[in-house]
């Protein structure tokens, strides 16, 4: 692997973007003060290729940057590759892998200058970061551990390879010398050997099966002759059965045709029988009609006399119809006045009935009037008493709310007073126990008189707060009794509300009855 270009930003000591072109020198020595970023360049290469460095990903980000990013371009086995790795603070890392596609790539590799490369970068990035990292290691044919033991020695770990376990040294040395290809060859040879053995086993099994079948050749030939004889016999029997079946089929077809002919003749006979019955019935009907006509001819004189009588009756009916028409006309002219008379009579009868009902109701109300007046007076007195109780209930409710508010204020004030008294007590104890001329609370210098005066002031404040605390305690007890008393009085007045709602409709109803 030949490094060509390294670009980094936000990585360890490099807050601003920095670029290093390896094609401008063949041998370099990096020197500088501690913390200048010498090792950061080498860490950037290992972090870009393998995602590992001396520190973790979060520690690799510059303290004044939001993300660390390294782009490393290198040549390897006649190709140019580029790896870009970025790690935003608090987010998932990003890894991209590219290969340069160029027509003059072989000639440009001799100069090892990126300016001579013309082409486009083809992405080799896989779907996941893990798969992309595996592709990079497969391309380089080494991992981070092999790299730091063979091509790049970490600071203070030059003897890391010698300190590895024998198995690890063998594995690392095999990776350096490319011996893993022989392991791949061994695995492929083992797979091919297993495949060939499987094929040989399958062929042996098939050969055994063929040998067993060849051993049964005579038996199978004898069985074949028997089967051929049976087949010829069964063929002759089948032909005989087919001939019999064809003859039976023809007979069945002939019988079916004869059955259809019989059915047709039966239907024709039934139709002829129905026609004969119809003709006989019609002949009988005609015979009856002939008898009726003969009877009518015998009554010819009687029928003529009846016809003349009918003619006279028809003439009389026409006259009576004229009379009925004139009567109907008179009746129609008479009907409107009769309708008006009947309507007026019905209205008068209805009005009379209504007046009688009103008279009975008035007499009944006059009889009930003294009792209704007494009920109205009693209901109004009860209504007034209930309104007075409800007014008292409103007053008691206001007193209860005020007592509860003062109770809540006292309950809220006591914890604060208790905390302030505890704080004053602590300050007094500090002042009494402190030695020296400085105040242990504020650090200001105090004389003995000032200290004593301050203690007395604090004690005075404490006594005032204690008096206030005890007064609140007494008020709480008094408020508790007041609240309990007011709640009992309100519970006693609760039925008054229901009574007032019940009495109000009664008073209104009685008043309405008295005014009717």
């Amino acid at each position: 692997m030949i490094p060509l270009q390294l670009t980094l930003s936000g990585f360890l000591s490099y807050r601003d973007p920095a670029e290093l072109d390896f094609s401008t020198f063949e041998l370099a020595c990096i020197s500088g003060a501690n913390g200048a970023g010498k090792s950061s360049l080498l860490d950037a290469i290992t972090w870009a290729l393998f995602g590992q460095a001396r520190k973790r990903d979060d520690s690799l980000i510059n303290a004044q940057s939001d993300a660390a990013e390294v782009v490393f371009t290198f040549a390897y086995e006649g190709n140019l590759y580029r790896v870009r790795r970025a790690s935003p603070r608090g987010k998932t890392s990003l890894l991209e892998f590219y290969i340069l596609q160029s027509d003059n790539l072989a000639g440009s590799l001799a100069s090892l200058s990126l300016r001579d490369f013309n082409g486009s970068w083809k992405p080799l990035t896989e779907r996941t970061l893990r798969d992309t990292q595996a592709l990079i290691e497969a391309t380089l044919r080494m991992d981070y551990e092999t790299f730091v033991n063979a091509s790049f020695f970490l600071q203070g770990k030059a003897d890391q390879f010698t300190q590895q376990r024998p198995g690890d040294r063998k594995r690392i040395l095999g990776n350096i010398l490319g011996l893993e290809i022989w392991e791949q060859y061994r695995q492929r040879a083992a797979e091919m050997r297993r495949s060939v053995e499987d094929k040989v086993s399958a062929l042996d099994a098939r050969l055994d099966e063929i040998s067993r079948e060849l051993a049964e050749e005579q038996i199978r030939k004898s069985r074949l002759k028997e089967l051929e004889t049976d087949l010829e016999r069964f063929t002759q029997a089948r032909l005989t059965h087919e001939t019999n079946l064809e003859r039976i089929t023809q007979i069945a077809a002939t019988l079916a045709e004869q059955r259809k002919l019989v059915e047709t003749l039966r239907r024709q006979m039934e139709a002829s029988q129905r026609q004969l019955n119809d003709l006989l019935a019609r002949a009988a009907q005609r015979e009856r009609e002939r008898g009726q006509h003969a009877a009518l001819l015998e009554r010819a004189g009687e029928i003529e006399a009846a016809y003349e009588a009918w003619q006279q009756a028809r003439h009389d009916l026409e006259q009576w119809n004229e009379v009925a028409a004139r009567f109907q006309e008179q009746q129609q002219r008479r009907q409107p006045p009769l309708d008006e008379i009947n309507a007026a009579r019905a209205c008068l009868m209805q009005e009379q009935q209504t007046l009688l009902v009103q008279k009975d109701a008035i007499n009944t109300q006059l009889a009930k009037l003294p009792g209704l007046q007494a009920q109205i007076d009693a209901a109004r007195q009860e209504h007034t008493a209930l309104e007075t109780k409800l007014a008292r209930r409103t007053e008691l409710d206001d007193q209860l709310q005020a007592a509860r508010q003062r109770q809540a204020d006292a309950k809220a004030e006591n914890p604060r007073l208790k905390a302030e008294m505890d704080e004053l007590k602590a300050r007094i104890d500090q002042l009494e126990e402190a030695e020296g001329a400085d105040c242990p609370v504020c650090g200001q210098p105090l004389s003995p008189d000032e200290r004593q005066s301050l203690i007395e002031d604090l004690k005075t404040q404490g006594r005032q707060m204690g008096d206030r605390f005890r007064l609140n305690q007494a008020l709480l007890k008094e408020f508790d009794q007041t609240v309990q008393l007011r709640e009992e009085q309100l519970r006693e007045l609760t039925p008054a509300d229901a009574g007032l709602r019940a009495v109000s409709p009664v008073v209104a109803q009685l008043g309405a009855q008295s005014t009717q």
Side-chain angles (χ1 to χ4, degrees):
M1 179 179 65
I2 302 174
L4 297 178
Q5 188 180 57
L6 180 66
T7 303
L8 61 163
S9 63
F11 185 81
L12 292 176
S13 304
Y14 295 91
R15 181 189 63 182
D16 299 325
E19 182 177 335
L20 180 61
D21 187 1
F22 290 88
S23 62
T24 59
F25 55 86
E26 295 183 358
L27 182 64
C29 176
I30 305 174
S31 64
N34 291 334
K38 304 185 297 299
S39 301
S40 299
L41 297 175
L42 304 177
D43 287 334
I45 295 175
T46 61
W47 186 68
L49 291 175
F50 304 104
Q52 297 188 42
R54 294 175 301 166
K55 299 182 180 180
R56 299 181 183 177
D57 287 350
D58 294 340
S59 303
L60 295 174
I61 304 174
N62 187 275
Q64 299 179 2
S65 300
D66 295 331
E69 181 179 355
V70 176
V71 180
F72 181 51
T73 306
F74 60 93
Y76 184 71
E77 293 185 348
N79 292 311
L80 252 65
Y81 298 95
R82 173 171 290 174
V83 179
R84 175 178 174 268
R85 190 184 295 268
S87 178
R89 192 183 300 277
K91 297 182 180 180
T92 306
S93 298
L94 174 67
L95 177 60
E96 297 176 353
F97 188 35
Y98 302 91
I99 185 173
L100 182 65
Q101 292 180 332
S102 177
D103 296 335
N104 61 343
L105 184 61
S108 299
L109 284 175
S111 63
L112 296 178
S113 176
L114 287 177
R115 292 186 298 272
D116 299 331
F117 297 139
N118 296 321
S120 60
W121 291 98
K122 176 185 177 182
L124 301 177
T125 308
E126 298 290 344
R127 295 178 57 185
T128 63
L129 188 145
R130 184 188 301 274
D131 293 341
T132 305
Q133 182 63 49
L135 179 60
I136 294 173
E137 294 178 0
T139 302
L140 297 176
R141 292 200 292 274
M142 67 174 64
D143 55 7
Y144 173 74
E145 187 175 359
T146 304
F147 184 71
V148 298
N149 282 279
S151 302
F152 174 70
F153 297 109
L154 297 175
Q155 183 177 359
K157 296 184 180 180
D159 58 345
Q160 182 176 356
F161 177 73
T162 60
Q163 294 179 359
Q164 298 287 343
R165 292 179 298 180
D168 294 337
R169 289 201 301 271
K170 179 181 178 182
R171 178 179 55 81
I172 295 170
L173 187 59
N175 291 334
I176 295 172
L177 299 178
L179 299 180
E180 69 276 3
I181 190 66
W182 297 103
E183 179 63 21
Q184 296 177 6
Y185 290 159
R186 187 188 65 79
Q187 294 177 359
R188 290 169 58 184
E191 292 175 357
M192 293 177 63
R193 180 174 176 273
R194 285 193 295 270
S195 177
V196 171
E197 289 177 351
D198 293 339
K199 291 180 180 179
V200 170
S201 299
L203 292 174
D204 290 340
R206 181 57 179 165
L207 183 60
D208 293 339
E209 184 179 355
I210 293 173
S211 299
R212 287 193 299 271
E213 291 180 356
L214 290 175
E216 298 176 356
E217 181 179 4
Q218 296 300 327
I219 299 174
R220 294 192 178 187
K221 286 182 178 180
S222 301
R223 180 59 177 166
L224 178 60
K225 290 181 180 180
E226 294 175 0
L227 292 176
E228 288 176 349
T229 304
D230 293 340
L231 177 61
E232 185 177 358
R233 187 175 66 255
F234 290 148
T235 302
Q236 293 297 330
R238 182 178 64 80
L239 292 175
T240 303
H241 290 319
E242 287 179 353
T243 303
N244 295 333
L245 177 61
E246 185 176 358
R247 186 169 61 254
I248 293 171
T249 303
Q250 293 176 356
I251 295 172
T254 304
L255 291 175
E257 293 295 333
Q258 293 178 357
R259 188 181 296 108
K260 290 181 181 179
L261 179 60
V262 170
E263 184 66 23
T264 303
L265 294 174
R266 186 183 62 79
R267 288 197 296 269
Q268 292 177 357
M269 184 186 69
E270 291 177 353
S272 300
Q273 185 68 33
R274 286 195 297 270
Q275 291 178 0
L276 178 61
N277 294 333
D278 292 339
L279 291 173
L280 292 175
R282 291 169 63 184
Q285 180 67 23
R286 295 295 182 269
E287 186 65 25
R288 286 194 299 271
E289 290 178 356
R290 189 182 64 80
Q292 292 175 0
H293 292 163
L296 289 174
L297 289 175
E298 293 176 357
R299 297 173 54 203
E302 183 181 353
I303 292 173
E304 290 177 356
Y307 177 74
E308 292 177 357
W310 176 79
Q311 289 284 87
Q312 184 64 35
R314 183 176 180 182
H315 178 71
D316 295 341
L317 180 61
E318 291 178 353
Q319 292 180 354
W320 282 110
N321 286 336
E322 293 177 359
V323 173
R326 290 195 299 272
F327 177 78
Q328 187 68 26
E329 183 180 357
Q330 294 297 328
Q331 189 70 18
Q332 291 178 354
R333 294 174 60 188
R334 178 173 174 269
Q335 190 63 35
L338 287 176
D339 292 341
E340 293 180 359
I341 293 171
N342 292 330
R345 182 182 292 109
C347 290
L348 291 174
M349 293 295 293
Q350 184 176 2
E351 185 176 359
Q352 181 183 10
Q353 187 67 27
T354 303
L355 292 174
L356 291 174
V357 171
Q358 291 179 356
K359 179 180 178 182
D360 295 338
I362 290 171
N363 293 331
T364 302
Q365 294 293 334
L366 289 175
K368 294 180 179 180
L369 186 60
L372 287 175
Q373 189 63 40
Q375 293 179 4
I376 290 172
D377 294 339
R380 285 178 177 174
Q381 291 177 0
E382 184 179 359
H383 187 273
T384 303
L386 291 174
E387 286 182 343
T388 304
K389 288 183 179 181
L390 287 178
R392 174 61 177 165
R393 175 185 176 182
T394 303
E395 181 181 356
L396 291 175
D397 195 6
D398 295 339
Q399 293 178 3
L400 176 61
Q401 295 299 327
R404 286 178 175 174
Q405 183 62 37
R406 295 181 63 188
Q407 183 183 29
D409 294 340
K411 287 182 178 180
E413 186 180 11
N414 271 1
R416 180 180 59 80
L417 292 174
K418 184 67 170 60
E420 291 179 357
M421 287 190 296
D422 293 340
E423 184 180 356
L424 287 176
K425 181 66 169 58
R427 292 176 61 186
I428 292 171
D429 293 340
Q430 288 180 356
L431 290 172
E432 290 178 348
E433 295 175 359
E435 297 180 359
D438 294 333
C439 177
V441 179
C442 61
Q444 299 293 328
L446 292 175
S447 63
D449 295 337
E450 291 175 343
R451 181 190 303 275
Q452 188 63 32
S453 176
L454 179 59
I455 291 173
E456 292 298 329
D457 292 341
L458 293 176
K459 288 182 177 181
T460 301
Q461 293 179 12
R463 285 192 295 272
Q464 293 175 356
M465 291 182 182
D467 294 340
R468 180 64 178 173
F469 181 83
R470 288 185 291 275
L471 178 60
N472 283 340
Q473 293 286 1
L475 289 175
L476 283 174
K477 294 180 180 179
E478 181 181 352
F479 292 154
D480 290 341
Q481 296 176 358
T482 303
V483 168
Q484 185 177 2
L485 178 61
R486 294 295 181 265
E487 289 178 347
E488 292 177 355
Q489 292 175 348
L490 286 173
R491 283 195 296 271
E492 293 176 356
L493 292 176
T494 299
D497 191 8
L500 180 62
R501 287 195 298 270
V503 168
S504 296
V506 174
V507 173
Q509 183 180 2
L510 292 175
Q513 291 179 1
S514 65
T515 56
Q516 290 179 355

